[in-house]
Amino acid sequence: MASASNAELAPLIRKLESIATLSDEARQAVHALPMAVRVVEPRQDLARDKDKPAHCCVLLTGWAYRYKLLDEGRRQILSFHVPGDIPDLQSLHLHVMDHSLATVTQCRVGLIPHEGLRALCLRFPDAAFALWRDTLIDAAIFREWMIGIGRRNAHSRIAHIFCEMYVKLQAVGLAENHRCAWPVTQTDLGDALGLSNVHVNRVLQDLRAQGLIGPQDRDLVILDWDALSALGEFDETYLHLERRAAA
Amino acid sequence: MSLHLEPIRVATGSGDEEGRLVLMQDRLVAVLVRLSEQHGPDAGRWFLEAGLGPLAGPDQPSFAGLDEAQDWILRRLDGLHP
């Protein structure tokens, strides 16, 4: 276990400042949050359904996902998370996990005790408002996913999630020039978007053949942003970004 | 209860065209498609492209062969009428 450096906390600060305004004092208080840093290997649970965590996890590096396990090993992925996100922030107020949280890649995770976050919110209302705003945007993202699963076809769902993750990564300074890491597998995509692995594979090959994305598996290269965002009916309003990190 | 298979070409919008209509007596219950080379290690497997009635839903498995696919379909249909 170790402490997080200021550099490691940069995505969290960028994330909060991309959606809200923080005073200098609040920013310093976020830097000073009590935090134990752990390295967690890929595909490991950070929190499990029914757990009662005493801390929240901030992603310092790597990707994670929320999921729910159903009968017969069926899995619904509920969201993907990137550095700067606090995917179990709700555990501060909702004491029992109603889903699980796991790593996609190896992650450096900062564990912030609940009492540290509570103290931050009580002393710095602008920090509390930023976290509140983050949970509201989290709900806005769920609304978009619901539209996708309920009303968009396979091409549109996949195009939409590519646009969404790219914009989220760009907001924390981890993507530019329409390129970013893409550690999510085809099975993950299918479980997130309610598609079979076969359909995901067909759509990815079609998007590549149409010249919308590059041929890479582990990196997302968006070759035609306008066409991809039109296909996904992607309108970033729901991400409520006030400021983008300097690319 | 037994199933009857009829070859059919399926317009999946991909390289996966070779298919089978799966009929129970004279009723269509499912469409199977043989996965093409574009699916790498899964090429040659039979995919439940569409299920009708009780076979409809988000569960779309693939099978090593047509016998395995028919067994699965029959089990699903039997399960509803024990």
Side-chain angles (χ1 to χ4, degrees):
Chain A
M1 237 186 254
S3 299
S5 65
N6 278 1
E8 280 190 310
L9 283 174
L12 173 62
I13 299 287
R14 277 177 164 168
K15 160 79 183 277
L16 295 176
E17 295 203 312
S18 74
I19 60 172
T21 304
L22 288 182
S23 64
D24 290 343
E25 293 77 16
R27 195 180 310 112
Q28 283 163 18
V30 172
H31 275 298
L33 275 169
M35 186 180 297
V37 176
R38 282 199 187 136
V39 176
V40 183
E41 294 304 309
R43 307 287 166 181
Q44 300 297 310
D45 282 335
L46 294 168
R48 290 202 179 101
D49 210 352
K50 306 291 189 291
D51 275 359
K52 295 180 180 173
H55 54 251
C56 292
C57 307
V58 55
L59 283 177
L60 304 173
T61 64
W63 286 45
Y65 64 103
R66 295 187 185 125
Y67 70 97
K68 189 90 180 170
L69 279 185
L70 306 169
D71 290 345
E72 299 169 357
R74 291 170 301 149
R75 176 182 70 157
Q76 178 66 45
I77 290 181
L78 305 164
S79 54
F80 290 109
H81 297 279
V82 297
D85 284 351
I86 309 177
D88 60 351
L89 181 61
Q90 76 280 348
S91 72
L92 186 59
H93 294 291
L94 305 177
H95 302 301
V96 182
M97 290 290 292
D98 54 34
H99 59 274
S100 298
L101 174 67
T103 56
V104 176
T105 62
Q106 188 189 72
C107 291
R108 279 176 73 83
V109 178
L111 306 179
I112 312 170
H114 282 166
E115 60 263 36
L117 271 173
R118 256 185 228 109
L120 173 80
C121 292
L122 289 172
R123 284 190 57 207
F124 300 96
D126 50 337
F129 286 148
L131 294 174
W132 186 359
R133 199 172 149 84
D134 183 48
T135 62
L136 294 173
I137 294 169
D138 197 35
I141 294 172
F142 276 116
R143 286 194 287 277
E144 278 293 319
W145 279 45
M146 184 185 278
I147 294 167
I149 289 174
R151 286 290 174 253
R152 291 194 178 107
N153 66 23
H155 278 74
S156 186
R157 288 181 212 180
I158 291 177
H160 192 276
I161 199 172
F162 282 159
C163 293
E164 177 179 293
M165 294 314 297
Y166 174 75
V167 170
K168 281 192 68 173
L169 285 164
Q170 191 190 33
V172 292
L174 293 174
E176 58 181 343
N177 300 325
H178 293 147
R179 288 168 175 264
C180 60
W182 192 261
V184 167
T185 66
Q186 290 191 14
T187 303
D188 294 334
L189 263 187
D191 286 354
L193 303 178
L195 299 170
S196 71
N197 204 20
V198 168
H199 280 97
V200 172
N201 191 35
R202 283 177 187 160
V203 171
L204 290 178
Q205 298 208 21
D206 201 27
L207 295 180
R208 288 174 185 141
Q210 290 184 47
L212 270 59
I213 59 169
Q216 300 84 350
D217 271 335
R218 306 301 283 177
D219 292 295
L220 173 63
V221 180
I222 300 173
L223 300 173
D224 188 338
W225 173 265
D226 291 344
L228 192 73
S229 55
L231 179 63
E233 298 178 278
F234 178 75
D235 171 353
E236 68 175 58
T237 306
Y238 71 99
L239 294 172
H240 299 277
L241 293 168
E242 293 194 336
R243 251 193 290 170
R244 299 283 192 89
Chain B
M1 228 172 19
S2 69
L3 300 173
H4 170 66
L5 301 184
E6 283 185 18
I8 188 90
R9 288 180 70 194
V10 184
T12 61
S14 70
D16 310 328
E17 281 223 314
E18 182 190 347
R20 297 287 187 278
L21 297 177
V22 184
L23 299 138
M24 176 173 278
Q25 293 164 339
D26 59 349
R27 286 190 174 83
L28 181 65
V29 295
V31 178
L32 294 167
V33 163
R34 189 172 187 274
L35 296 178
S36 62
E37 296 308 315
Q38 77 179 103
H39 295 283
D42 288 331
R45 291 179 68 83
W46 288 87
F47 174 62
L48 184 75
E49 185 72 39
L52 283 300
L55 297 177
D59 196 10
Q60 287 184 280
S62 68
F63 308 94
L66 286 170
D67 287 345
E68 190 183 315
Q70 291 181 82
D71 287 347
W72 185 89
I73 290 169
L74 282 172
R75 273 202 308 278
R76 281 288 165 119
L77 296 175
D78 272 350
L80 291 165
H81 306 288

